[in-house]
Amino acid sequence: MASSKPRIIIVGGGLAGLAGAIKIAESGLDVDLFSMVPVKRSHSVCAQGGINACNKVARQQGYSEWMHFDETVYGGDFLNHQPPVYDMANMAPKIIDLLDRMGVPFNRTSEGERDLRLFGGSLFKRTHFAGATTGQQLMYALDEQARRWEVQGKVTKYEFWEFLWPVVDEQGACRGIIAQDMRTMQIRAFRGDAVIMATGGNGLIFGKSTNSVICTGGAAARCYQAGAWLGNPEFIQVHPTAIPGEDKCRLMSESARGEGGRVWVPRKKGDTRPPGQIPEAERWYFLEEKYPKYGNLVPRDIATREIFFACRDGLGIGGGRMVYLDCTHLPDATKHKLAGIFEIYEKFTGDDPCHVAMKIFPAVHYTMGGLYTSFEPKPDFKGMVPGHPKNMMTNVPGLYAFGEVNYQYHGGNRLGANALLSCIFDGLFCGPSAVQYVQDQKSPAADLPESLYQKFAQQEETKARKLIESNGTFNPYTLHRQLGDVMTDYCTVVREENGLRTAAEHVDRLRDQFRALKLSDTGMWTNQSLSFTRALGDMLVYAQAILAGASLRKESRGAHYRSDFTERNDAQFLKTTVAKYDKAKDRPVIEFEAVPTPLIQPRARTYGKVDA
Amino acid sequence: MSADASPNAQAPQPSLLAQNHFLLRRLHSLSGIVPIGVFLIFHLFTNFQMLVGNFQHEVEFIHNMPALIYIEILGLWLPIGFHAVLGIAYTLGSNPNSIQYPYMDNWRYTLQRVTGILAFLFIFVHGAKLRWGFTFGGYLDTPFYLHGPHGEPLATASTAIALQHAFPWVLVGYVVGVYACVYHWANGLWTAAISWGLTLSVAAQRRWGVFCVGLGLALAVFSAGAIYKAATYPVADQQREMIRLMEAGRTLPAAPHDKVLELPLPAEEAHEAAP
Amino acid sequence: MTAPANTKNIRFKIKRQDGPGKASYWQTFDVPYKPNLNVISCLQYIAEHPVTVAGEKSTPVVWDCNCLEEVCGACTMVINGKVRQSCSALLDELLKETPGGMVTLEPMTKFPVVRDLWVDRSRMFNALKTIQAWVPIDGTHDLGEGPKESAENQDVRYSLSRCMTCGCCLEACPQFLLGNQFIGAQAISQARYFNLHGTGKVLADQRLDAMMGPGGITDCGNAQNCVKVCPKEIPLTESIAAIGRQATVHAVKRFFNGPPRK
């Protein structure tokens, strides 16, 4: 198994993982790519609206990379580290060009140029898109390029393999991973000279979210328990517009509003008329009224809260927890651009959004926080030193975090259509950092003693056996539902001390119950219950960090809104929440680390709100 | 970039069949359309003459073509054999599922395979019987003569005897066989336009479909006319007797050519026999 | 649509198989009716309550899924005899198909079963390698924009690019069988997709060569089931015709020009 050629392990085959794999393979190193699903099915396919970048048209209207940078930091309520965001905004146009060359079918203008749409948090059209399934289209382009490298033997895919644990050597450096084949259930160690986590978000902690079923945050939680820190775990984006469902909430893209969709509720409480019969004067377009400048395109945290409050005040449709997202008035050509999401809405609800206003409600969508990473800033803080091994490395040497699992870029709130960008940026810009790290290493992972790897593999075997053999009474699926309910109730749109404490106690109780559970499938062939249950254990650990961060951050910033501390408090909390796992106490330890603001100073974040 | 060398570059040399896979498939398609299909049109059109034209004349024209046997072998029997052997091989490699997915196009697909086999059986029996004189152990002993020893017109009468033999099973066999051929060809013409890439869009396929249905219906009408005529044609005793004697290998009593014409023929036959 | 009483159960008859090469067997489960259920949420219920109608303790049914919003392509299965995505298979619709109130779930039959409803679709991903389903870019360096493209061409390419490798087209295809070589509508349509791109078409000849051997484009039997079961309404039959045309032209060129120079 041991080959002396350096290899890099990438865990996760979404946009960040694939972009990294392509960049690293291109640099000459071999990549082992691990994914719980065929990489083409990664959660990145769910992104709909688009990808932001300064472009020729917007530039001539006064837009610039700097403004993109500023919007991102303003949108993130100044919690973002500025040098990486600066780089991201600057590289964005080049990323679009690259994707364009890879064949992404970006929508076109009549002249054959890439078309643009408006998106949240900006007054300029700077979002490139492919219909309303941009994430899928970008994913496929990168998947194709990765397949090309796979055919040449530079990328080896391990699909349906689940990451279980990072292999950390005596010096504390990451030297490989333990993974399990989800079909044969074989657990084995893989040597890697660097390991890149690109495992996405943790929506499943909240039960029903817009995330895919593999987005448990389990992989990040395992790294956290192995010694990696979490950054800003309490920052969870709740997307304003989703279709509530029995199994998940389905995203209804911000592009619906970017293309002119309007959010409203009936002015009369409990109005039971069908939306089409409610006259214009009796509709309350509350976003447009409160935020005349940005209208329906205020950042997501704000839109979500306004929708949430409207429903709390009894103004939801029929008094319930839904508001209208109306696209019926849009011209046909615009509707065509949104066909991808309209089709989803119609399939799942039976109503055609072209003729009937959609009914939507906020749902957990994106994990701004994640594994804590660092970077090497340039002396003037305008960007990072390219290729520096520190860029996006966690506190564990050799362990990197790319994409959504990385806490960088989005601060307290992510702007729409910045996620695809940050994922690809991480892979392309920071992939070379991992390569540099590997080239700097004196002792390759291939030369390490087998015993190191066996020790970790054994540890995972034991854990798996313990779960299989656990003979208690609790059902893991039931525990998960309870976790989701309690996290959604107390730790999403509006948070406050008592609720957070209730939730924390509940999660502690769930962790106790987790130790006394019983799997209904104890076989050793394609045992999905084992995989799910193991992830549940890690979700509970992650949930504790989220709750601890949310409880200690006694202010409101971005997506983190405290009803007991409604104002932003820069003096105390313009800081990164760093969650460290205390192994002895089996609890998170929260520390705060100042966020420097070298390029953009914090300012009030109102988005031109008028007090109605 | 060398990166894009075909991933199969290291594969062993494929078999001759595999190497010519595309050619064989396209020839299969072509053989069905041009030689077989064109012959089918001529044949059914000629048969239709029984009802509205000079059948005897048409048939004799065909039979008097120079080097007929070579035209037949090269233009008909070889293509049919080729088309049939490949077609059956392809059919064996398919798994029709029209019950599970009862879309019209899927039924069309399944029917194409069924009619292909039916048409092949029919053509074999039909050709063997009427062209090569097989009797199939006496079960299908239906002699076919174009004319008597002195040029007496027997085309229609012979056809009628062949069709009316073992009534109604032969008739049923003819109806099924002929319509299988018609369907198989018309549908094959439709799908060939997709396979060869002539009809790209769904709209083009629909329009070409209308044409193929029209063509199929026209051939169906021709066939129906001929079958109707042959099934209802009253064979005169003299004609039957003449064929019986010819079949028995006995020469007919010598008679002047015009004598034969004095046989009490049905009106249509008389018209046919007129110069 | 009338809402049935709260107590109503939906019966699921599920074809199970413990592993490759093992015998398959049927199990039935009841799931309490709620409005707006889909097959996934019922399977999730069964995972939490794996007890058959007969009261036997069983195991959670194994199935492949991920996004649950019909964009990842994972959760394909045969539902009431017809192949589709289980996330977008809504119970209220399914119950209309089966007046008895029974829903049957089976794994796809054209791919080897891993366990229960989970099948191994690596053949589809391998087909993408065979047809070189990528744009051969020079590298990731900054080389400016891609080729300009008309809105019409983008519209066609976008419709093809929505293929999520779910396998519905192949499952319903009477020409695509477990043991044979046919590449199927998915890969044929992808070949068209890349041949439509300014840079992607550089490999068009190689794609067509791959597409003209055994199991290639000519093995299509024009049953056109693919286009009817495609959940993304991809114009698969148009792709088949387009690649048919390209192959015809390519073959004629090859005939006159001889084999490519190595």
Side-chain angles (χ1 to χ4, degrees):
Chain A
M1 162 187 140
S3 127
S4 53
K5 246 180 114 183
R7 308 184 74 83
I8 290 184
I9 286 174
I10 298 180
V11 184
L15 284 177
L18 289 178
I22 292 162
K23 194 73 186 177
I24 293 165
E26 190 176 87
S27 77
L29 256 60
D30 289 343
V31 174
D32 290 320
L33 182 58
F34 290 77
S35 172
M36 292 176 71
V37 292
V39 294
K40 198 175 178 180
R41 310 202 193 288
S42 300
H43 177 64
S44 302
V45 295
C46 290
Q48 297 173 342
I51 175 165
N52 294 334
C54 182
N55 55 78
K56 287 182 274 190
V57 179
R59 198 184 300 281
Q60 291 169 53
Q61 293 167 341
Y63 195 67
S64 64
E65 282 89 347
W66 179 272
M67 287 181 75
H68 184 185
F69 165 49
D70 181 77
E71 282 169 358
T72 305
V73 172
Y74 182 48
D77 227 347
F78 303 95
L79 200 59
N80 333 42
H81 281 287
Q82 296 181 1
V85 182
Y86 180 90
D87 270 338
M88 178 175 84
N90 272 291
M91 195 178 177
K94 298 185 183 88
I95 288 176
I96 301 292
D97 281 349
L98 175 61
L99 293 168
D100 191 10
R101 283 169 49 221
M102 286 177 179
V104 172
F106 285 118
N107 275 54
R108 298 284 161 169
T109 63
S110 53
E111 204 182 323
E113 296 283 348
R114 295 178 298 232
D115 202 0
L116 300 158
R117 68 165 46 127
L118 209 52
F119 236 73
S122 184
L123 298 171
F124 292 88
K125 282 195 179 183
R126 50 115 164 89
T127 302
H128 303 72
F129 62 100
T133 58
T134 313
Q136 183 192 38
Q137 299 308 314
L138 265 46
M139 253 313 286
Y140 290 177
L142 295 188
D143 175 62
E144 290 146 11
Q145 295 300 325
R147 185 165 292 105
R148 192 169 160 220
W149 287 110
E150 186 191 7
V151 167
Q152 293 167 61
K154 295 301 288 178
V155 171
T156 308
K157 283 184 191 156
Y158 292 86
E159 291 173 329
F160 295 119
W161 279 78
E162 182 175 8
F163 166 86
L164 299 186
W165 208 259
V167 173
V168 180
D169 69 10
E170 319 232 296
Q171 286 74 45
C174 183
R175 310 307 295 265
I177 64 165
I178 308 296
Q180 181 168 34
D181 186 326
M182 296 165 70
R183 292 153 301 186
T184 65
M185 307 310 281
Q186 180 201 7
I187 291 177
R188 62 166 275 209
F190 292 86
R191 292 165 189 252
D193 296 277
V195 174
I196 296 168
M197 301 302 292
T199 53
N202 61 20
L204 248 71
I205 291 178
F206 296 82
K208 288 187 240 174
S209 69
T210 64
N211 286 188
S212 298
V213 297
I214 53 170
C215 301
T216 60
R222 286 163 202 162
C223 293
Y224 161 67
Q225 291 167 86
W229 304 336
L230 295 176
N232 295 336
E234 70 273 30
F235 284 91
I236 303 288
Q237 178 163 81
V238 182
H239 194 287
T241 58
I243 323 164
E246 275 304 314
D247 50 341
K248 80 171 294 191
C249 300
R250 293 181 176 84
L251 178 64
M252 203 32 61
S253 168
E254 191 165 303
S255 55
R257 283 171 287 140
E259 296 286 358
R262 304 174 76 187
V263 174
W264 60 275
V265 288
R267 284 192 185 275
K268 200 173 84 191
K269 277 188 189 179
D271 196 330
T272 51
R273 286 176 291 177
Q277 290 176 19
I278 300 178
E280 198 67 18
E282 292 176 41
R283 301 173 176 191
W284 185 32
Y285 294 96
F286 53 96
L287 289 175
E288 294 169 31
E289 222 166 89
K290 289 185 179 180
Y291 301 90
K293 197 166 161 198
Y294 285 83
N296 292 291
L297 288 172
V298 286
R300 290 176 176 174
D301 56 327
I302 294 176
T304 294
R305 275 194 292 277
E306 296 294 350
I307 292 171
F308 191 86
F309 291 149
C311 293
R312 185 196 59 190
D313 298 342
L315 283 158
I317 302 168
R321 284 157 65 95
M322 299 259 227
V323 301
Y324 288 118
L325 170 57
D326 202 338
C327 291
T328 54
H329 59 286
L330 299 178
D332 285 346
T334 308
K335 285 174 178 165
H336 182 66
K337 291 185 203 172
L338 296 169
I341 53 168
F342 284 1
E343 181 190 288
I344 290 181
Y345 186 86
E346 190 174 356
K347 267 195 181 161
F348 286 97
T349 67
D351 290 333
D352 180 0
C354 294
H355 306 297
V356 184
M358 294 181 272
K359 293 180 196 174
I360 51 92
F361 193 72
V364 169
H365 179 57
Y366 189 87
T367 313
M368 268 84 66
L371 289 170
Y372 174 93
T373 52
S374 54
F375 58 90
E376 183 66 27
K378 284 180 182 163
D380 60 358
F381 295 100
K382 288 188 172 173
M384 305 180 270
V385 176
H388 194 284
K390 245 174 87 177
N391 296 340
M392 302 311 142
M393 195 197 280
T394 65
N395 57 304
V396 177
L399 183 67
Y400 289 80
F402 288 3
E404 189 173 349
V405 77
N406 181 4
Y407 93 115
Q408 297 282 357
Y409 307 109
H410 307 299
N413 170 64
R414 175 175 70 79
L415 289 188
N418 258 354
L420 297 179
L421 178 62
S422 65
C423 289
I424 298 173
F425 171 78
D426 257 346
L428 296 180
F429 190 92
C430 306
S433 294
V435 171
Q436 188 60 50
Y437 171 82
V438 168
Q439 281 163 354
D440 292 348
Q441 292 305 298
K442 305 252 158 19
S443 66
D447 295 346
L448 292 174
E450 185 62 18
S451 56
L452 172 72
Y453 293 92
Q454 281 317 312
K455 186 183 88 183
F456 282 95
Q458 203 58 51
Q459 166 200 311
E460 290 307 309
E461 290 273 9
T462 311
K463 278 199 251 175
R465 206 169 37 247
K466 222 174 118 188
L467 280 177
I468 291 267
E469 289 167 1
S470 173
N471 202 8
T473 50
F474 293 99
N475 181 323
Y477 296 96
T478 314
L479 295 187
H480 176 244
R481 220 151 24 82
Q482 291 173 4
L483 171 69
D485 288 346
V486 72
M487 290 300 285
T488 304
D489 286 349
Y490 296 110
C491 198
T492 46
V493 185
V494 178
R495 302 162 169 180
E496 52 88 31
E497 197 56 44
N498 289 331
L500 290 169
R501 196 175 306 124
T502 309
E505 284 162 8
H506 199 135
V507 170
D508 289 349
R509 205 157 52 240
L510 289 174
R511 286 203 69 191
D512 289 338
Q513 293 172 347
F514 181 81
R515 294 185 189 95
L517 53 70
K518 174 139 185 74
L519 264 68
S520 43
D521 188 351
T522 54
M524 284 313 274
W525 180 264
T526 324
N527 185 339
Q528 290 179 321
S529 297
L530 173 63
S531 168
F532 176 82
T533 306
R534 180 169 39 214
L536 172 65
D538 298 313
M539 283 191 257
L540 290 166
V541 173
Y542 204 146
Q544 287 183 322
I546 295 172
L547 291 167
S551 171
L552 289 173
R553 184 174 284 278
K554 298 188 192 309
E555 65 155 353
S556 289
R557 182 185 297 274
H560 173 72
Y561 177 80
R562 289 280 301 251
S563 56
D564 42 359
F565 301 94
T566 55
E567 295 304 311
R568 188 173 87 194
N569 180 348
D570 285 340
Q572 250 187 301
F573 290 109
L574 184 54
K575 286 175 180 164
T576 297
T577 314
V578 182
K580 301 179 182 177
Y581 177 72
D582 184 333
K583 206 171 173 184
K585 290 194 189 125
D586 187 21
R587 296 223 132 262
V589 175
I590 303 290
E591 292 167 12
F592 287 98
E593 184 189 87
V595 176
T597 52
L599 304 174
I600 299 172
Q601 286 309 305
R603 57 181 188 267
R605 184 173 179 267
T606 61
Y607 284 94
K609 183 175 184 178
V610 293
D611 282 316
Chain B
M1 258 175 103
S2 62
D4 295 307
S6 166
N8 295 328
Q10 299 299 314
Q13 190 69 17
S15 73
L16 209 61
L17 270 181
Q19 279 181 42
N20 293 300
H21 185 83
F22 184 80
L23 182 67
L24 286 173
R25 285 284 200 168
R26 282 285 196 265
L27 283 178
H28 176 244
S29 173
L30 193 64
S31 64
I33 298 168
V34 181
I36 305 176
V38 169
F39 175 79
L40 182 73
I41 294 185
F42 275 108
H43 192 347
L44 294 179
F45 184 74
T46 305
N47 288 2
F48 188 54
Q49 304 295 306
M50 271 196 273
L51 197 64
V52 296
N54 190 343
F55 183 53
Q56 186 75 22
H57 174 82
E58 296 293 328
V59 174
E60 288 189 2
F61 168 77
I62 292 171
H63 283 258
N64 288 332
M65 281 166 79
L68 179 63
I69 186 72
Y70 300 106
I71 295 176
E72 252 182 274
I73 291 176
L74 291 176
L76 197 59
W77 303 123
L78 272 181
I80 288 179
F82 174 81
H83 190 84
V85 168
L86 260 64
I88 289 169
Y90 297 154
T91 302
L92 291 177
S94 71
N95 187 15
N97 55 7
S98 299
I99 305 285
Q100 194 179 358
Y101 297 98
Y103 309 119
M104 195 191 78
D105 284 316
N106 200 23
W107 278 113
R108 199 181 43 57
Y109 164 90
T110 303
L111 215 51
Q112 182 72 353
R113 272 121 196 97
V114 171
T115 55
I117 291 166
L118 288 176
F120 174 65
L121 293 174
F122 170 71
I123 291 169
F124 179 75
V125 173
H126 177 64
K129 183 68 227 103
L130 299 187
R131 182 66 186 143
W132 310 319
F134 286 25
T135 62
F136 295 101
Y139 286 107
L140 279 173
D141 187 6
T142 54
F144 181 77
Y145 294 98
L146 276 183
H147 46 73
H150 304 289
E152 301 89 341
L154 285 177
T156 305
S158 282
T159 307
I161 289 174
L163 192 72
Q164 291 168 16
H165 176 81
F167 184 85
W169 300 114
V170 172
L171 176 65
V172 169
Y174 262 91
V175 169
V176 170
V178 170
Y179 282 105
C181 291
V182 168
Y183 174 85
H184 192 78
W185 188 67
N187 183 57
L189 196 62
W190 186 75
T191 56
I194 301 173
S195 301
W196 288 78
L198 296 174
T199 49
L200 288 190
S201 68
V202 169
Q205 291 172 15
R206 196 180 306 119
R207 273 185 283 250
W208 180 241
V210 169
F211 175 80
C212 291
V213 167
L215 195 63
L217 285 177
L219 291 181
V221 167
F222 289 164
S223 314
I227 290 173
Y228 167 76
K229 176 70 188 185
T232 57
Y233 179 78
V235 182
D237 289 345
Q238 290 92 331
Q239 290 169 316
R240 201 181 295 280
E241 177 63 10
M242 188 187 298
I243 288 170
R244 196 187 61 77
L245 290 174
M246 286 166 76
E247 190 67 2
R250 270 192 267 148
T251 40
L252 292 165
H257 188 67
D258 55 350
K259 267 276 173 72
V260 177
L261 292 176
E262 285 168 15
L263 285 167
L265 295 174
E268 297 95 329
E269 195 77 0
H271 163 74
E272 233 177 60
Chain C
M1 198 162 54
T2 53
N6 287 338
T7 50
K8 189 183 150 191
N9 279 333
I10 309 161
R11 184 152 292 188
F12 279 82
K13 189 175 165 207
I14 302 176
K15 193 176 193 179
R16 307 196 61 174
Q17 184 175 333
D18 293 340
K22 302 260 173 71
S24 62
Y25 55 95
W26 292 91
Q27 276 187 343
T28 44
F29 297 91
D30 278 346
V31 175
Y33 176 84
K34 275 192 268 183
N36 301 323
L37 287 175
N38 59 358
V39 167
I40 297 272
S41 48
C42 295
L43 284 169
Q44 286 174 340
Y45 178 88
I46 293 170
E48 195 176 335
H49 309 95
V51 180
T52 66
V53 169
E56 278 173 68
K57 275 203 165 173
S58 186
T59 51
V61 177
V62 170
W63 85 100
D64 196 2
C65 71
N66 196 28
C67 77
L68 313 191
E69 54 192 53
E70 210 188 62
V71 70
C72 81
C75 68
T76 320
M77 57 183 74
V78 178
I79 300 170
N80 283 349
K82 184 172 172 271
V83 67
R84 44 191 142 183
Q85 304 304 117
S86 48
C87 62
S88 56
L90 306 182
L91 266 291
D92 292 323
E93 300 296 318
L94 291 177
L95 292 175
K96 284 182 205 156
E97 285 174 16
T98 51
M102 173 113 91
V103 177
T104 57
L105 306 180
E106 296 166 81
M108 285 196 276
T109 59
K110 304 292 179 72
F111 302 95
V113 170
V114 175
R115 186 178 165 187
D116 292 346
L117 303 173
W118 183 354
V119 298
D120 176 4
R121 276 172 282 185
S122 41
R123 180 172 168 187
M124 296 186 76
F125 294 101
N126 288 335
L128 295 177
K129 293 178 190 166
T130 306
I131 61 156
Q132 304 188 60
W134 50 74
V135 174
I137 57 166
D138 283 350
T140 60
H141 303 287
D142 180 17
L143 300 174
E145 295 182 19
K148 260 198 184 188
E149 183 177 22
S150 71
E152 291 73 23
N153 199 62
Q154 184 272 342
D155 206 40
V156 176
R157 285 207 313 125
Y158 177 68
S159 70
L160 304 178
S161 183
R162 298 181 66 207
C163 171
M164 51 190 189
T165 327
C166 68
C168 285
C169 57
L170 306 179
E171 174 67 16
C173 173
Q175 296 286 108
F176 185 95
L177 308 180
L178 189 55
N180 76 2
Q181 284 181 289
F182 183 37
I183 200 160
Q186 165 241 355
I188 294 171
S189 191
Q190 286 291 298
R192 178 188 179 206
Y193 171 66
F194 288 100
N195 287 0
L196 274 171
H197 184 264
T199 316
K201 69 180 169 210
V202 168
L203 297 174
D205 283 354
Q206 293 180 46
R207 286 191 196 105
L208 293 171
D209 282 339
M211 203 50 92
M212 285 161 63
I217 176 76
T218 54
D219 290 19
C220 168
N222 293 304
Q224 305 205 330
N225 289 352
C226 50
V227 75
K228 297 188 184 77
V229 297
C230 176
K232 295 284 118 181
E233 293 171 11
I234 297 168
L236 294 168
T237 47
E238 297 192 349
S239 292
I240 289 166
I243 290 296
R245 173 181 288 185
Q246 291 175 21
T248 306
V249 172
H250 181 67
V252 172
K253 278 191 191 158
R254 245 319 113 81
F255 180 78
F256 287 111
N257 294 343
R261 264 167 258 133
K262 289 271 155 75

